[in-house]
């Protein structure tokens, strides 16, 4: 299947700092990518839809000023958690669709101290 | 609003047994349905994709069925192995966009 990568795989940061997570489609182009977060032992919650060349579409309740999404090319979307706080600690996963099938990255574990 | 439910939440079976995981959804107007597995601390691996016009898909020891009218899908795993231990998630895609609505997952443990 198609490959989606994420970087970094895990990050620890201090409260108040910003963290950038990259999501890349390695062997295909993706005009649309998705960002999810997952809390322990829970299912995935869609945060936003990242659209290449235009603004992201955020789900209800997700702060767009806190979770900045940039989709500057057909193979790269970035999620920046601004002024991170301990409650932002979570597992963040991105995905992209090709031929109607959605493929997921390996996830990024964010821990905010 | 689409809601997806998976029962049971957890399942333990001895190695070698066949098993069935269940997924139900409230809105039958779906574009497709995917089954994924997730290992602890990892991303999701796509197992099977069933288009709305299909009834089932097979890959190796896995067989997924879809009954759109009743809002149900099942994932059948034959001759289970310890390596099958993981959380299994089903997700449905509606029409008009690529968003997936995920089920709550079934945590499967295969006992050697």
């Amino acid at each position: 299947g198609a490959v989606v990568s994420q970087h970094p795989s895990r990050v620890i940061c201090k409260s108040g700092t910003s963290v950038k997570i990259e999501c890349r489609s390695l062997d295909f182009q993706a005009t649309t990518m998705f960002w999810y977060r997952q809390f322990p032992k829970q299912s995935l919650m869609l945060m936003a839809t990242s659209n290449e060349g235009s603004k992201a579409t955020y789900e209800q309740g997700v702060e767009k000023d806190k979770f900045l999404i940039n989709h500057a090319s057909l193979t790269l979307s970035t999620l920046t958690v601004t002024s991170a706080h301990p409650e932002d600690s979570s597992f963040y996963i991105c995905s992209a669709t090709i031929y109607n099938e959605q493929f997921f990255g390996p996830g990024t574990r964010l821990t905010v101290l | 609003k689409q809601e997806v439910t998976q029962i049971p939440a957890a399942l333990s079976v001895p190695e070698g047994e066949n098993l069935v995981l269940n997924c139900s959804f409230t809105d039958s107007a779906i574009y497709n349905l995917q089954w994924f597995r997730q290992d602890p601390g990892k991303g999701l691996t796509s197992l099977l994709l069933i288009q709305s016009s299909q009834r089932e898909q097979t890959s190796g020891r896995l067989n997924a069925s879809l009954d759109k009218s009743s809002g149900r899908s099942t994932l059948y795993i034959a001759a289970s192995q310890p390596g099958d231990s993981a959380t299994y998630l089903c997700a449905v895609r509606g029409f008009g966009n690529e968003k997936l609505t995920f089920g709550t997952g079934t945590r499967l443990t295969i006992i050697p």
Side-chain angles (χ1 to χ4, degrees):
Chain A
V3 178
V4 176
S5 71
Q6 276 184 248
H7 178 80
S9 58
R10 58 179 64 232
V11 57
I12 301 172
C13 69
K14 292 182 179 179
S15 185
T17 60
S18 294
V19 174
K20 180 185 285 188
I21 303 170
E22 293 185 347
C23 177
R24 294 181 185 273
S25 56
L26 295 187
D27 49 0
F28 65 102
Q29 295 181 332
T31 56
T32 304
M33 291 183 176
F34 301 91
W35 286 97
Y36 297 82
R37 68 185 297 180
Q38 185 178 35
F39 292 105
K41 297 187 179 180
Q42 293 187 24
S43 193
L44 279 73
M45 182 192 80
L46 179 64
M47 299 174 64
T49 302
S50 172
N51 305 298
E52 188 269 335
S54 65
K55 292 182 179 179
T57 306
Y58 291 82
E59 295 300 301
Q60 192 172 8
V62 178
E63 300 175 59
K64 61 180 67 176
D65 293 331
K66 179 164 190 63
F67 299 100
L68 300 179
I69 292 173
N70 184 276
H71 195 150
S73 78
L74 288 171
T75 59
L76 173 65
S77 173
T78 60
L79 168 69
T80 301
V81 183
T82 63
S83 187
H85 291 285
E87 57 266 29
D88 298 323
S89 298
S90 189
F91 192 56
Y92 292 87
I93 313 177
C94 68
S95 71
T97 303
I98 181 169
Y99 303 129
N100 294 320
E101 190 169 355
Q102 204 160 119
F103 293 92
F104 284 76
T108 297
R109 171 75 59 193
L110 171 63
T111 302
V112 185
L113 302 176
Chain B
K1 178 186 173 185
Q2 179 73 271
E3 293 183 3
V4 182
T5 305
Q6 291 183 246
I7 295 174
L11 179 66
S12 293
V13 300
E15 179 179 0
E17 284 196 3
N18 304 325
L19 60 100
V20 175
L21 305 180
N22 298 294
C23 171
S24 61
F25 44 95
T26 55
D27 185 351
S28 62
I30 65 169
Y31 185 77
N32 62 35
L33 182 147
Q34 269 185 270
W35 280 94
F36 298 89
R37 71 173 278 168
Q38 185 177 29
D39 294 285
K42 306 291 184 183
L44 277 64
T45 300
S46 179
L47 298 174
L48 289 165
L49 167 70
I50 309 179
Q51 300 292 353
S52 62
S53 58
Q54 298 175 319
R55 294 291 300 232
E56 65 177 340
Q57 281 287 342
T58 297
S59 176
R61 294 183 293 111
L62 306 179
N63 176 277
S65 68
L66 174 64
D67 184 344
K68 235 179 28 167
S69 61
S70 66
R72 293 181 182 177
S73 176
T74 62
L75 179 66
Y76 174 84
I77 302 177
S80 59
Q81 302 171 358
D84 295 330
S85 297
T87 295
Y88 289 80
L89 295 156
C90 70
V92 299
R93 175 180 164 183
F95 290 93
N97 59 62
E98 297 173 17
K99 291 185 189 180
L100 293 180
T101 302
F102 278 87
T104 45
T106 295
R107 189 168 68 255
L108 176 65
T109 302
I110 305 301
I111 305 166

